[in-house]
Amino acid sequence: QKEVEQDPGPLSVPEGAIVSLNCTYSNSAFQYFMWYRQYSRKGPELLMYTYSSGNKEDGRFTAQVDKSSKYISLFIRDSQPSDSATYLCAMSDWGAQKLVFGQGTRLTINP
Amino acid sequence: GAVVSQHPSWVICKSGTSVKIECRSLDFQATTMFWYRQFPKQSLMLMATSNEGSKATYEQGVEKDKFLINHASLTLSTLTVTSAHPEDSSFYICSASAWGQGPYEQYFGPGTRLTVT
């Protein structure tokens, strides 16, 4: 079993839709939860991070962490074609710098 | 701020040769650099972690003699793929972080695409 599981998709939705991306994990020591966006043949860029459980909102993006269920989500509201990319979740435990990535979900927003 | 560059962005080499990839932090001192490998439509797999001035720590299953990592300064780390073979063809990405920063403060380079013929 992988430490972090993420549905690879691909996921295709119309412009303006609400997108939900999810990851599950098995390591209860994870404390930091990150979401990255990666465009084709580019390095990942950090979208949001959350420490421990709870919600965090940044513009059209909302990250949720449910440590009891070992489940994290990223919601994108009013999705735009420019949001088309691969979205990767990543996690790390307290004091560590190593990131464990999910497989990534390929998202396409259709105009 | 927090810009990381990689060079080259794309390299093609013949089987059996060695190729060096550079990773530079342009506007901060990177005490730690990480090297990842990413196959098409797959996730990033950590290969090794290097702290400036120390030997790199390799992840299980990564051949240290094949993937040589040097982190001789606070702004530069290099990955040398020795005796490259077609199965080494992949997208190599580095990231860098400064002392005391959290795991979310790991800044990624744009990646290097290696094709071994």
Side-chain angles (χ1 to χ4, degrees), chain A residues 44 46, chain B residues 1-4 28 94-98 101 104-109:
Chain A
L46 179 67
Chain B
V3 178
V4 176
F28 68 102
C94 72
S95 68
S97 66
Q101 289 186 325
Y104 50 88
E105 293 172 298
Q106 201 177 118
Y107 303 100
F108 288 82

Side-chain angles (χ1 to χ4, degrees), chain A:
Chain A
Q1 182 188 7
K2 293 181 180 179
E3 274 193 294
V4 180
E5 298 273 5
Q6 183 177 5
D7 186 342
L11 181 62
S12 182
V13 301
E15 183 176 356
I18 296 175
V19 177
S20 173
L21 304 168
N22 311 292
C23 290
T24 59
Y25 63 96
S26 57
N27 188 345
S28 58
F30 288 145
Q31 294 280 358
Y32 291 93
F33 305 91
M34 281 69 68
W35 285 97
Y36 291 86
R37 178 173 61 196
Q38 185 179 26
Y39 293 110
S40 181
R41 302 189 180 188
K42 299 292 184 183
E45 57 174 325
L46 179 67
L47 277 176
M48 299 181 69
Y49 79 91
T50 308
Y51 172 68
S52 194
S53 283
N55 296 352
K56 192 171 185 178
E57 187 173 321
D58 184 1
R60 297 185 294 112
F61 299 88
T62 299
Q64 290 185 351
V65 175
D66 182 349
K67 291 193 69 181
S68 62
S69 302
K70 296 189 178 66
Y71 186 88
I72 71 170
S73 301
L74 177 71
F75 297 95
I76 306 174
R77 292 183 299 279
D78 187 25
S79 55
Q80 304 294 312
S82 58
D83 295 329
S84 298
T86 295
Y87 289 79
L88 298 137
C89 64
M91 306 177 190
S92 181
D93 60 26
W94 176 259
Q97 289 186 299
K98 288 174 54 173
L99 301 179
V100 181
F101 282 87
Q103 189 174 353
T105 301
R106 294 186 67 190
L107 172 65
T108 300
I109 308 298
N110 301 302

Side-chain angles (χ1 to χ4, degrees), chain B residues 16-37:
Chain B
T17 63
S18 296
V19 61
K20 180 183 286 188
I21 302 170
E22 291 185 349
C23 176
R24 293 182 184 273
S25 58
L26 300 185
D27 52 5
F28 68 102
Q29 294 186 326
T31 50
T32 306
M33 287 187 169
F34 305 84
W35 287 94
Y36 295 85
R37 185 173 181 177

Side-chain angles (χ1 to χ4, degrees), chain B:
Chain B
V3 178
V4 176
S5 69
Q6 280 185 244
H7 178 80
S9 57
W10 192 7
V11 57
I12 301 174
C13 70
K14 292 186 181 297
S15 185
T17 63
S18 296
V19 61
K20 180 183 286 188
I21 302 170
E22 291 185 349
C23 176
R24 293 182 184 273
S25 58
L26 300 185
D27 52 5
F28 68 102
Q29 294 186 326
T31 50
T32 306
M33 287 187 169
F34 305 84
W35 287 94
Y36 295 85
R37 185 173 181 177
Q38 186 176 34
F39 290 107
K41 299 183 181 181
Q42 293 191 26
S43 189
L44 280 75
M45 298 299 295
L46 181 65
M47 299 174 66
T49 302
S50 72
N51 292 301
E52 185 264 340
S54 302
K55 288 185 177 181
T57 301
Y58 291 80
E59 295 299 301
Q60 189 174 9
V62 177
E63 300 175 60
K64 61 179 68 176
D65 294 331
K66 182 170 186 60
F67 298 100
L68 302 179
I69 291 171
N70 183 280
H71 189 173
S73 79
L74 287 171
T75 59
L76 174 65
S77 176
T78 59
L79 167 67
T80 301
V81 183
T82 62
S83 186
H85 289 93
E87 57 266 30
D88 298 324
S89 298
S90 188
F91 194 52
Y92 292 87
I93 304 173
C94 72
S95 68
S97 66
W99 175 258
Q101 289 186 325
Y104 50 88
E105 293 172 298
Q106 201 177 118
Y107 303 100
F108 288 82
T112 296
R113 182 162 302 279
L114 170 63
T115 301
V116 184
T117 60

